[in-house]
Amino acid sequence: MNLHRSGATRRRGPELENAILGAAWDVLTEHGYPGFTYEAVAARAATSRPVLYRRWPQREDLLLATLTKFWQPIAVPDTGSIRDDAIGFLRNTHAARTHMITMMSVQLVDYFRDTGTSFGELREALIPPGLAPPFETIVARAVERGELPDAPRSPRVVNLPFDLLRHDLLLTMREVSDESITEIVDAVWLPLLAVPGTA
């Protein structure tokens, strides 16, 4: 009877992989990269190290798979207004990414040092191929609607709202107020884009 019950509850395929990645996330957030070992993840997932090795031969492979699972793309609002799109996206990003960004900046210090990579490089690796940066999409829609002139713009200027939000998150390690999000858009970004009525 016990053998039958054990066989009936054995996890395979996506179910097993989800359990492993969920366990890996828990280990990473609790113990950081130094504690992110095959042994710790296998124990938390109630599986064996060979099961992990077969799927992710290197620890960095397991780390990237874990972060990818929890770093899902954020939908870009399409409200018909560049201001509302920008503020809406920053609010969505803040809600979905605050814990992830602060965790990565603290728990992955050893990973960045060991691999010689940066937060920016890791973020690029987590973005699905071919996905346009959100604020480039927001600006392109505004140009199509006639809210902005069709003119060359520096990527640094276009993507500034996200950079400022991330800066505030990393600098304070606390949630960013809605007033600050609105200020980023109204007082900094829209004037730089020369949106009528904001200069």
Side-chain angles (χ1 to χ4, degrees):
M1 180 67 67
N2 288 338
L3 289 176
H4 176 73
R5 183 178 295 115
S6 174
T9 59
R10 180 175 295 175
R11 299 163 301 173
R12 299 181 185 276
E15 181 186 3
L16 176 59
E17 185 164 311
N18 286 333
I20 292 172
L21 294 178
W25 174 256
D26 291 340
V27 170
L28 181 63
T29 55
E30 291 175 17
H31 304 290
Y33 187 68
F36 188 76
T37 64
Y38 284 103
E39 292 82 357
V41 174
R44 180 66 65 94
T47 188
S48 65
R49 284 179 295 171
V51 170
L52 272 63
Y53 286 125
R54 283 196 295 270
R55 289 169 169 79
W56 305 284
Q58 303 294 327
R59 185 164 66 139
E60 289 76 14
D61 299 331
L62 177 57
L63 176 67
L64 187 59
T66 301
L67 294 175
T68 299
K69 177 175 174 58
F70 291 92
W71 185 279
Q72 297 300 316
I74 299 171
V76 179
D78 190 4
T79 65
S81 161
I82 185 173
R83 178 182 184 272
D84 291 345
D85 287 354
I87 291 175
F89 181 77
L90 289 182
R91 286 171 176 164
N92 294 344
T93 300
H94 182 265
R97 291 278 193 268
T98 296
H99 176 65
M100 172 76 85
I101 290 175
T102 53
M103 182 280 294
M104 289 171 67
S105 66
V106 173
Q107 302 289 49
L108 296 183
V109 171
D110 292 303
Y111 166 78
F112 295 132
R113 184 186 63 238
D114 292 350
T115 60
T117 58
S118 66
F119 179 88
E121 289 172 304
L122 177 58
R123 178 173 171 268
E124 288 298 317
L126 295 174
I127 297 174
L131 185 67
F135 279 94
E136 290 187 10
T137 298
I138 290 172
V139 167
R141 289 173 179 170
V143 170
E144 291 176 1
R145 291 192 299 262
E147 285 185 277
L148 287 177
D150 187 3
R153 293 179 175 85
S154 165
R156 185 178 295 275
V157 171
V158 171
N159 297 304
L160 185 61
F162 177 79
D163 294 338
L164 292 177
L165 177 67
R166 181 177 57 204
H167 171 270
D168 284 3
L169 284 172
L170 295 177
L171 192 65
T172 66
M173 291 295 176
R174 294 195 300 269
E175 292 187 357
V176 178
S177 69
D178 200 63
E179 290 78 9
S180 294
I181 288 175
T182 302
E183 183 181 29
I184 287 172
V185 175
D186 287 345
V188 180
W189 191 56
L190 293 181
L192 282 176
L193 293 176
V195 175
T198 62

